[in-house]
């Protein structure tokens, strides 16, 4: 994505303001794909309600104003942009994602022509943010899971293009979530992507527009990754990794494996004269969110990570109910062994049901994801070469 220099300047100014003030706000103006949902709507979720999980609340507070069914037109008509405008402060950020409902030509209260009112209304959002000293960031609409004869359809093409033009002409930062989420869906494959959308037979739902908790988490990671690419200094305040999606990323630095592992307290380890030792996993357990934009809570352990001359890493990860390892590109060979529980594994777009006794080899250059299913925790042992 090419950025205009003045756009970068605005973002840097916002980043410098964060350093000076303990907390700024992120406001989200959008539709149902970004909206927040209560437990009564589970597993439905929007990416906006997941965004705070990446951001240090001492630096950024997320205020999600996205509401289902709204377009750029109806969001303004209901006074929702005015409410955001009253709350915006210098240094805040306004994320603007619309397009799904703007295309509903049968409803004049929501429809906007992509080259007409849609552009005019987007400019209103931009103006409100800038008038308050806040930074607007345009976010193209998230992809739908809609295939036709084996091809994923781009249902937002003209609205994405119109938003891109506004970004260029008004020198506004842009996260192309449409492109990122389409690449993510293609990498999962049509069947592999279904658990990330509202395909819930128990509820009689087959909905390729709205996200499950796992999907909302993954898309929030895509948004956050795009934001960090625009504003690299945001990385300093992240609470989760953003190695997610179907995009290439540089290999992790050599120190990463040791840095993320909890050190073993010497008093807890029995070490003999050869350096051999015994440890207890309860001494090194660490609770983590699902890595690579995965949903839900996990418990992870790296065994003997502090031993500098081992040629491999042995790691255990427990994916508790609803948890997952998000889709990501592999930069090293890796083996998963399923100890217990069940899950859905996507490898290079092919989905597999996995359970106890299954071993999964992912080679460098592939993409993969793993989602827990059922009521039992999914327990996985991982082995991969040490990077030094």
């Amino acid at each position: 994505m090419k950025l205009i220099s003045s756009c970068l300047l605005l973002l840097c100014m916002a980043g410098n303001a964060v350093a000076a003030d303990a907390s700024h706000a992120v406001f989200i103006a959008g539709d149902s794909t970004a909206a927040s949902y209560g437990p009564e709507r589970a597993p439905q979720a929007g990416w906006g309600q997941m965004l705070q999980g990446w951001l240090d609340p001492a630096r950024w507070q997320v205020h999600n104003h996205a509401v289902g069914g709204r377009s750029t037109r109806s969001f303004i008509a209901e006074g929702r942009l005015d409410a955001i405008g009253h709350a915006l402060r210098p240094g805040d950020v306004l994320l603007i994602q619309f397009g799904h409902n703007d295309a509903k030509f049968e409803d004049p209260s929501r429809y906007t022509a992509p080259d007409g009112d849609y552009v005019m209304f987007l400019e209103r959002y931009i103006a409100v943010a800038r008038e308050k000293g806040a930074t607007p960031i345009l976010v193209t609409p998230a992809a739908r899971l809609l295939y036709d004869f084996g091809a994923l359809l781009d249902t937002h093409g003209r609205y994405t293009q119109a938003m891109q033009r506004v970004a260029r002409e008004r020198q506004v930062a842009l996260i192309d979530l449409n492109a990122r989420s389409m690449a993510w869906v293609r990498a999962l494959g049509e069947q592999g992507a279904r658990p990330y959308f509202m395909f819930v037979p128990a509820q009689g739902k087959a909905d390729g527009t709205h996200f499950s908790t796992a999907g909302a988490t993954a898309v929030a990671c895509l948004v956050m990754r795009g934001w960090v690419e625009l504003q690299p200094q945001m990385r300093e305040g992240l609470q989760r990794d953003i190695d997610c999606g179907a995009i290439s990323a540089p290999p992790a630095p050599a120190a990463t494996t040791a840095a993320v592992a909890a050190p073993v307290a010497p008093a807890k380890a029995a070490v003999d004269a050869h350096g051999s030792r015994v440890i207890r996993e309860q001494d090194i357990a660490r609770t983590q969110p699902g890595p690579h934009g995965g949903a839900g809570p996990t418990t992870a352990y790296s065994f003997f990570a502090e031993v500098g001359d081992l040629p491999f890493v042995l790691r255990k990860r427990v994916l508790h109910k609803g948890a997952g390892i998000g889709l990501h590109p592999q930069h090293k060979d890796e083996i998963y062994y399923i100890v217990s529980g069940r899950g859905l594994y996507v490898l290079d777009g092919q989905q597999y049901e996995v359970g106890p006794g299954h071993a999964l080899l992912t080679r460098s250059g592939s993409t993969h994801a793993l989602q827990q299913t059922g009521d039992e925790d999914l327990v996985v042992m991982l082995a991969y070469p040490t990077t030094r």
Side-chain angles (χ1 to χ4, degrees):
M1 183 188 304
K2 294 182 179 179
L3 299 177
I4 301 170
S5 58
S6 58
C7 177
L8 279 172
L9 178 60
L10 281 170
L11 287 166
C12 289
M13 290 171 61
N16 291 336
V18 172
D21 194 342
S23 178
H24 282 294
V26 184
F27 291 84
I28 302 172
D31 53 39
S32 58
T33 59
S36 297
Y37 298 88
E40 72 282 357
R41 300 287 295 275
Q44 186 168 341
W47 63 259
Q49 77 186 87
M50 302 300 180
L51 202 64
Q52 186 70 69
W54 271 267
L55 296 169
D56 180 353
R59 300 188 183 204
W60 292 97
Q61 289 285 335
V62 175
H63 299 275
N64 189 9
H65 287 249
V67 180
R70 273 54 179 186
S71 67
T72 53
R73 180 191 299 277
S74 61
F75 194 92
I76 291 174
E78 294 173 2
R80 299 180 186 278
L81 179 57
D82 288 339
I84 292 175
H86 289 312
L88 279 171
R89 297 293 181 268
D92 290 346
V93 169
L94 175 59
L95 300 177
I96 306 156
Q97 185 220 258
F98 289 101
H100 283 85
N101 300 301
D102 288 82
K104 294 183 175 179
F105 61 87
E106 71 280 4
D107 183 353
S109 69
R110 293 188 286 181
Y111 174 70
T112 64
D115 296 317
D117 286 348
Y118 183 65
V119 169
M120 179 190 70
F121 287 128
L122 286 178
E123 291 175 343
R124 288 268 300 276
Y125 290 84
I126 295 165
V128 166
R130 287 178 167 171
E131 285 169 4
K132 291 303 184 77
T135 300
I137 300 179
L138 296 172
V139 183
T140 59
R144 289 185 171 95
L145 178 55
L146 182 61
Y147 274 76
D148 186 38
F149 294 101
L152 179 65
L153 300 182
D154 181 358
T155 62
H156 306 302
R158 294 184 65 196
Y159 290 90
T160 295
Q161 293 166 10
M163 186 177 280
Q164 290 169 337
R165 285 195 300 274
V166 171
R168 289 193 301 268
E169 293 170 3
R170 298 291 180 254
Q171 300 184 8
V172 182
L174 176 100
I175 298 170
D176 195 348
L177 183 58
N178 190 56
R180 290 171 183 270
S181 55
M182 288 189 72
W184 168 68
V185 170
R186 289 193 183 103
L188 287 166
E190 183 174 4
Q191 293 304 312
R194 288 169 72 92
Y196 298 89
F197 289 82
M198 284 298 290
F199 287 85
V200 187
Q203 298 180 4
K205 294 182 178 179
D207 176 355
T209 296
H210 299 100
F211 303 117
S212 66
T213 300
T217 306
V219 173
C221 187
L222 297 178
V223 172
M224 201 66 241
R225 181 168 184 139
W227 187 358
V228 169
E229 288 176 5
L230 294 173
Q231 189 179 1
Q233 59 268 41
M234 288 293 299
R235 187 181 295 273
E236 298 174 5
L238 293 183
Q239 300 190 121
R240 296 187 59 177
D241 71 72
I242 52 169
D243 181 22
C244 54
I247 46 184
S248 297
T256 297
T257 299
V260 300
V264 179
K268 301 288 188 180
V271 183
D272 70 11
H274 302 286
S276 302
R277 65 192 66 186
V278 175
I279 60 173
R280 303 179 305 171
E281 68 177 30
Q282 59 262 40
D283 296 330
I284 59 173
R286 183 182 177 192
T287 301
Q288 299 175 336
H292 309 292
T298 76
T299 307
Y301 328 83
S302 282
F303 297 99
F304 308 111
E306 80 289 356
V307 178
D309 57 352
L310 287 179
F312 61 89
V313 174
L314 180 63
R315 187 168 176 81
K316 180 178 180 180
R317 189 177 293 276
V318 181
L319 280 68
H320 304 296
K321 186 165 182 163
I325 298 172
L327 182 76
H328 63 285
Q330 275 296 97
H331 303 296
K332 58 184 180 300
D333 295 341
E334 188 170 39
I335 295 173
Y336 287 11
Y337 177 76
I338 309 299
V339 178
S340 61
R342 297 199 170 273
L344 294 175
Y345 182 65
V346 174
L347 175 63
D348 294 330
Q350 180 69 41
Q351 185 184 52
Y352 303 87
E353 294 185 6
V354 296
H358 289 180
L360 321 171
L361 170 63
T362 308
R363 306 304 300 265
S364 179
S366 287
T367 59
H368 70 174
L370 178 63
Q371 184 68 34
Q372 182 272 348
T373 58
D375 294 325
E376 184 182 358
D377 287 348
L378 177 60
V379 181
V380 185
M381 296 298 297
L382 300 84
Y384 49 88
T386 303
T387 301
R388 302 291 179 192

